Amino acid sequence: MKAAVIVFPGSNCDRDLAVAFEAAGADVQMVWHKDTDLPRDVDIVGVPGGFSFGDYLRCGAIAANSPICHSLKAHTDRGGYAIGICNGFQVLAETGILPGALLRNAGLKYICKTVGLKVETSDSAFTQGYNAGDVINIPIAHHDGNYYADDATIAGLQDQDRIAFTYTDNPNGARADIAGILSENRRVLGMMPHPERAADAGHGGTDGTALFRALMGALAPA
């Protein structure tokens, strides 16, 4: 599997994501935000967590207009895989690759802790390593993780089985307890929690490992 991880000014989880990809067996290339093209034959693009461009304007808004995001949008439009984690989810929402928006946490405070996530679907390359209904423990670290979409969008996500993860105890006010969603073709995942921070026993947990291994299994033969 060939993975590319985009790096923006202010990214702070790009190396963590690259290490998680590599541990699952992927070849990883880091891509600077001012680059105009993704690597050839890339299987999946990772949009990492952090505070791209200092979270000015809106979280992810400036990053979404970086030159590389035009290539990211083209990649997903033609059916390419992508994962956006935390700030990366915000970028995917700002580009329109995924629906909805990430608002300020309901409590108006930055939250950094491990939370319980319920796996809502195993029908994707990202979640096939789990069983629907599993509860996993994954860290969060965000100030603007409150997922919002209108009623019709929420209903569509539910009806199409596109909600990947929900919070067992909603920490930020997200509608329908949403922690992660899938694109219509199920090849793009955006999630606020950090599976790359739960992929090494030395860091306190390994519940995120199955996500990266599942991706490797799904995309390596491609």
Side-chain angles (χ1 to χ4, degrees):
M1 182 176 74
K2 294 182 179 179
V5 175
I6 298 175
V7 183
F8 300 101
S11 294
N12 65 11
C13 300
D14 44 318
R15 292 187 182 183
D16 299 29
L17 183 54
V19 168
F21 275 138
E22 288 171 347
D27 293 325
V28 183
Q29 186 170 339
M30 312 302 279
V31 180
W32 185 233
H33 73 112
K34 286 189 176 181
D35 292 346
T36 55
D37 297 303
L38 291 167
R40 290 189 60 188
D41 302 322
V42 67
D43 294 306
I44 185 165
V45 180
V47 190
F51 304 91
S52 59
F53 294 94
D55 281 349
Y56 287 104
L57 298 184
R58 290 184 310 277
C59 297
I62 299 176
N65 288 282
S66 290
I68 197 60
C69 281
H70 298 292
S71 291
L72 171 63
K73 183 70 162 55
H75 170 78
T76 59
D77 283 349
R78 61 176 176 263
Y81 285 83
I83 181 172
I85 300 169
C86 198
N87 189 221
F89 187 7
Q90 295 161 345
V91 172
L92 293 178
E94 288 287 343
T95 58
I97 292 172
L98 290 176
L102 284 307
L103 308 182
R104 190 67 47 88
N105 293 342
L108 303 182
K109 292 183 178 180
Y110 178 82
I111 306 170
C112 183
K113 63 180 182 179
T114 297
V115 299
L117 297 183
K118 181 182 177 183
V119 180
E120 293 291 341
T121 180
S122 59
D123 184 20
S124 77
F126 305 94
T127 58
Q128 65 181 4
Y130 305 104
N131 294 313
D134 285 353
V135 174
I136 59 176
N137 295 308
I138 304 290
I140 59 171
H142 58 249
H143 195 275
D144 297 68
N146 179 357
Y147 181 78
Y148 177 83
D150 60 26
D151 290 344
T153 300
I154 295 291
L157 292 171
Q158 292 169 332
D159 292 344
Q160 297 165 28
D161 192 34
R162 289 171 52 198
I163 299 176
F165 303 101
T166 56
Y167 298 108
T168 59
D169 184 11
N170 192 331
N172 53 33
R175 292 203 68 186
D177 300 325
I178 289 174
I181 62 171
L182 297 159
S183 60
E184 288 189 15
N185 66 1
R186 315 184 78 78
R187 293 189 169 200
V188 180
L189 171 67
M191 61 186 297
M192 288 307 299
H194 288 268
E196 80 284 9
R197 295 186 183 180
D200 186 326
H203 294 166
T206 58
D207 282 2
T209 303
L211 185 151
F212 296 101
R213 287 180 177 170
L215 275 174
M216 185 67 183
L219 301 186

